[in-house]
Amino acid sequence: MRPGYLSEIFVSFQGEGAHVGRRHLFVRLAGCNLRCGYCDTPASLERTAAYNIHDDGRVEIGLNPVSAADVAALVGGLLDRKSPIDAISVTGGEPLTQAEFLADILRAGRFPIPVLLETNGVLPQRLPAVLPFIDIISMDIKPPSNTGEGAFWEEHAAFLELSLGKDVYVKLLVDEATTDKDVERAAELVAGIQPSIPIFMQPIVDPAGSSMIGPERLTHLYSIARLHLHSVRVLPQTHKLLGIR
Ligand code: SF4
């Protein structure tokens, strides 16, 4: 088993998507293949020499690279002590940049609760390595009009196809720069694969926590998506509203 790079582990309430409000243990892996302009986890974009474990107000520091067995043991210990926890959320950065490492953690851990993968959805070729260990998939669709990155429509479609059979939902972050065309294309993409997949339209916020999209524009983009899909919901990042991690 190859060692890998961890950013942090903590327990909190899931603040986004279909499982919002549930208590999750977050395993944040380090490194990302994108650089979205609105990214709110800049500390996890690069692989660093150390990682943090947040536990009851204390922060313990560990050194990278770390073995998958050690991460599995850390997660298992926290699950025992912090019960009840509804799911393990694997996030980043982009966790699939270390897909083999993640698969080794989940294989070693044999965790007794569901595992939720939070992903940017642009690395479908890396998904099969972890798919047997994942129960829930939260896949972003990254519209080029608001990320500052290129378009990934084909990658997202391939990723979503591979995710069928899991509890999958899509997150679409929006701001005033997000175009009608991009929202329409995202909705058509999901509808073309399985129209029952829920989409969560999530307003992008600035560093002060203020929404970067006004109510009229948000309603307009919602209406475009709703033309193609039954299950479209607008949901802010609730952990930021609560002032928690
Ligand atoms: S994919 Fe996610 S972690 Fe990576 S830059 Fe974009 S928002 Fe940040």
Side-chain angles (χ1 to χ4, degrees):
M1 290 199 293
R2 272 172 294 171
Y5 288 78
L6 191 59
S7 179
E8 59 180 353
I9 297 178
F10 59 97
V11 175
S12 188
F13 295 107
Q14 175 59 255
E16 304 175 353
H19 296 266
V20 68
R22 296 195 189 280
R23 194 162 186 250
H24 284 185
L25 188 154
F26 292 81
V27 178
R28 189 185 302 286
L29 300 189
C32 187
N33 55 320
L34 299 184
R35 291 294 181 273
C36 306
Y38 53 76
C39 183
D40 61 356
T41 56
S44 68
L45 297 184
E46 299 287 349
R47 297 179 177 188
T48 50
Y51 61 86
N52 294 331
I53 302 169
H54 302 266
D55 187 4
D56 285 336
R58 297 189 313 273
V59 182
E60 291 176 28
I61 295 174
L63 296 180
N64 281 319
V66 57
S67 76
D70 284 352
V71 178
L74 285 169
V75 171
L78 274 174
L79 285 181
D80 285 344
R81 283 188 289 114
K82 299 285 189 180
S83 175
I85 291 174
D86 294 317
I88 295 167
S89 280
V90 180
T91 187
E94 171 47 50
L96 291 183
T97 59
Q98 300 187 81
E100 298 296 335
F101 176 53
L102 174 56
D104 286 342
I105 294 169
L106 299 175
R107 190 183 293 112
R110 295 175 172 269
F111 302 117
I113 57 174
V115 176
L116 188 163
L117 174 69
E118 297 187 350
T119 174
N120 61 25
V122 308
L123 296 172
Q125 71 278 17
R126 300 198 181 188
L127 181 58
V130 303
L131 212 44
F133 310 105
I134 301 294
D135 304 286
I136 307 161
I137 296 178
S138 170
M139 189 198 92
D140 286 1
I141 287 183
K142 298 289 187 186
S145 54
N146 68 30
T147 60
E149 291 276 358
F152 298 100
W153 304 114
E154 288 174 13
E155 291 86 348
H156 287 317
F159 202 108
L160 211 47
E161 290 274 8
L162 287 169
S163 303
L164 294 176
K166 301 291 179 182
D167 175 3
V168 59
Y169 60 92
V170 167
K171 277 191 311 182
L172 179 64
L173 272 66
V174 292
D175 62 4
E176 289 285 340
T178 311
T179 61
D180 293 10
K181 193 170 148 227
D182 276 357
V183 171
E184 178 138 47
R185 184 138 187 202
E188 286 175 344
L189 184 156
V190 177
I193 293 171
Q194 193 174 101
S196 60
I197 294 174
I199 282 200
F200 290 83
M201 200 171 269
Q202 182 175 299
I204 295 170
V205 295
D206 65 18
S210 300
S211 175
M212 303 277 283
I213 183 168
E216 286 182 14
R217 182 82 190 137
L218 185 58
T219 304
H220 178 69
L221 295 182
Y222 166 85
S223 301
I224 291 172
R226 187 65 180 82
L227 279 176
H228 300 273
L229 295 162
H230 297 299
S231 183
V232 183
R233 276 172 269 184
V234 171
L235 189 67
Q237 291 174 297
T238 59
H239 56 295
K240 291 187 179 173
L241 297 176
L242 294 170
I244 58 176
R245 182 175 291 280

